[in-house]
Amino acid sequence: MTNKPRKIKSNGENPRKPLKLKSKRFSSGSLGKSNGRNNHSVVDKPRQNRSNFEYPSSTEAPLNSDLIYGRHPVLSTLENQGRLNRIWITSRLRYDHRFHDLLLQAKGNGTVIDEVEATRLDHITRNANHQGVAAQIAPYDYFDLHDLIEKAKSITDIPVIVVADGITDPHNLGAIIRTAESIGAQGMVIPQRRAVGITSTVMKVATGALDCFPVARVVNLSRALEELKADGFWIYGTASNVGQAIHTVNFKGSPIVLVIGSEGEGLSMLTQKCCDVLVSIPLQGKTPSLNASVAAGMALYEIYRQRWNNTLYLENLQKTPSKNYM
């Protein structure tokens, strides 16, 4: 009697279908240790899409670099000896009398100068209005808060420092810096978290003000305000429809910190508790609030307007003729 092979009933399933192991992972090191054999398994890695891979060029800015472009921002940075890693400039503008000597000085300080065509600048700036020049800025070197306070007090006995509480729009921050520096403030403090830092957009909007305007970046803004209080500063926070009307507050005779709130939420409750006085700008129209940079400019102007009223301008005094008595 011959033994016939027996058929295994699979109930319609494919007997060669591989088993699926659910909720179980295997490390690449355990694949080659079966049955005591040293089998070297090959682990497939995802291949790079070579069509999307770009090789860096010596005249192309890295994707994570900070760029400024336009004649005025770059020229202002060069005049104030700001730190630049690389400059891309057209041949026509390179030998312009406004740029030539400054470029030689920057090159002596280690800046790489690349003379390029306008099409290259179009590519680097992504078709922005570069006006024939662009530059890669070095990371901004923030001031320590203590150093900022000492520097401000060395300039004047009654300095003004602006604190930006949670400003996230780089255009707003750049506009506040430009206004604060031009009107005479001595520095700015910004928080490290939930706020924009000093980026290329901030530098471009500030149009050179950062080259002579120190900015400190702190981890804890409330602690920084308490430190400013301990150094003799009065803390004034801007708030809409809360506090005293700004034109009724006396800003004369003491160091001042002006705190500007974020675009949407304004001052945080913790920051408001750190303020000595809350001030508001009276509005007569139907618009309920102002842009952060506009509010900062109006508040700074009121502070300095009051101080300018105490300034005696000799050139404006009328000269009275002297009488000769016999």
Side-chain angles (χ1 to χ4, degrees):
M1 186 175 179
T2 59
N3 294 329
K4 295 182 179 180
R6 299 175 61 186
K7 295 183 179 179
I8 300 176
K9 296 181 179 180
S10 59
N11 297 327
E13 295 180 359
N14 187 359
R16 295 187 180 182
K17 186 177 182 180
L19 295 176
K20 294 183 179 180
L21 299 179
K22 296 183 179 179
S23 303
K24 204 163 186 177
R25 296 182 179 179
F26 290 91
S27 62
S28 58
S30 63
L31 293 177
K33 295 183 180 180
S34 59
N35 298 328
R37 296 179 183 178
N38 295 327
N39 297 327
H40 299 284
S41 61
V42 178
V43 180
D44 291 333
K45 296 182 179 180
R47 295 181 179 180
Q48 280 187 326
N49 187 353
R50 294 181 179 270
S51 61
N52 295 331
F53 185 80
E54 295 181 359
Y55 292 92
S57 171
S58 60
T59 60
E60 186 172 356
L63 293 179
N64 60 351
S65 66
D66 277 338
L67 292 177
I68 57 174
Y69 48 84
R71 297 182 183 182
H72 184 70
V74 176
L75 187 61
S76 179
T77 304
L78 288 171
E79 289 173 344
N80 291 283
Q81 298 184 358
R83 296 192 304 165
L84 298 174
N85 292 334
R86 186 184 294 268
I87 297 174
W88 297 267
I89 190 168
T90 60
S91 57
R92 180 180 178 180
L93 198 59
R94 178 174 185 174
Y95 298 101
D96 186 281
H97 68 279
R98 295 170 296 175
F99 281 90
H100 184 63
D101 292 338
L102 292 172
L103 289 173
L104 292 177
Q105 184 179 357
K107 186 176 182 180
N109 293 331
T111 303
V112 179
I113 311 296
D114 284 334
E115 187 176 317
V116 296
E117 298 293 334
T119 53
R120 172 63 70 180
L121 282 168
D122 292 338
H123 177 68
I124 293 172
T125 63
R126 299 181 180 180
N127 296 318
N129 184 22
H130 51 74
Q131 298 176 327
V133 62
Q136 178 189 0
I137 61 173
Y140 182 78
D141 189 13
Y142 292 97
F143 275 68
D144 180 75
L145 179 59
H146 177 73
D147 295 337
L148 174 61
I149 295 173
E150 292 297 323
K151 182 178 176 65
K153 287 187 173 182
S154 67
I155 298 173
T156 175
D157 294 332
I158 48 174
V160 175
I161 294 177
V162 180
V163 173
D165 180 20
I167 302 293
T168 57
D169 184 1
H171 294 87
N172 267 339
L173 184 62
I176 294 172
I177 291 172
R178 180 178 182 179
T179 302
E181 194 283 326
S182 63
I183 207 168
Q186 280 68 47
M188 174 178 280
V189 179
I190 61 175
Q192 186 173 345
R193 298 179 181 178
R194 295 185 292 275
V196 67
I198 305 301
T199 64
S200 59
T201 303
V202 174
M203 290 187 175
K204 182 174 176 59
V205 176
T207 60
L210 280 164
D211 298 323
C212 49
F213 187 77
V215 177
R217 199 177 194 185
V218 297
V219 177
N220 191 319
L221 188 59
S222 300
R223 191 179 304 165
L225 291 174
E226 294 299 330
E227 184 175 342
L228 286 161
K229 278 186 183 181
D231 279 300
F233 286 83
W234 277 76
I235 314 297
Y236 295 89
T238 57
S240 59
N241 301 325
V242 177
Q244 303 179 38
I246 193 168
H247 62 278
T248 65
V249 180
N250 184 6
F251 294 109
K252 304 172 186 176
S254 62
I256 288 175
V257 168
L258 180 66
V259 189
I260 305 298
S262 62
E263 297 89 352
E265 300 177 359
L267 295 181
S268 65
M269 292 302 299
L270 189 57
T271 301
Q272 290 187 32
K273 291 179 181 179
C274 295
C275 295
D276 296 311
V277 181
L278 291 178
V279 298
S280 62
I281 300 173
L283 301 176
Q284 301 298 323
K286 295 182 180 180
T287 305
S289 62
L290 295 172
N291 177 276
S293 61
V294 174
M298 295 179 69
L300 284 168
Y301 180 79
E302 177 59 27
I303 292 171
Y304 279 93
R305 185 194 64 81
Q306 294 185 17
R307 295 184 175 184
W308 292 333
N309 283 343
N310 291 337
T311 303
L312 183 62
Y313 296 96
L314 296 177
E315 62 271 15
N316 293 334
L317 295 178
Q318 294 181 356
K319 294 181 179 181
T320 57
S322 59
K323 296 180 179 179
N324 295 327
Y325 295 95
M326 297 187 62

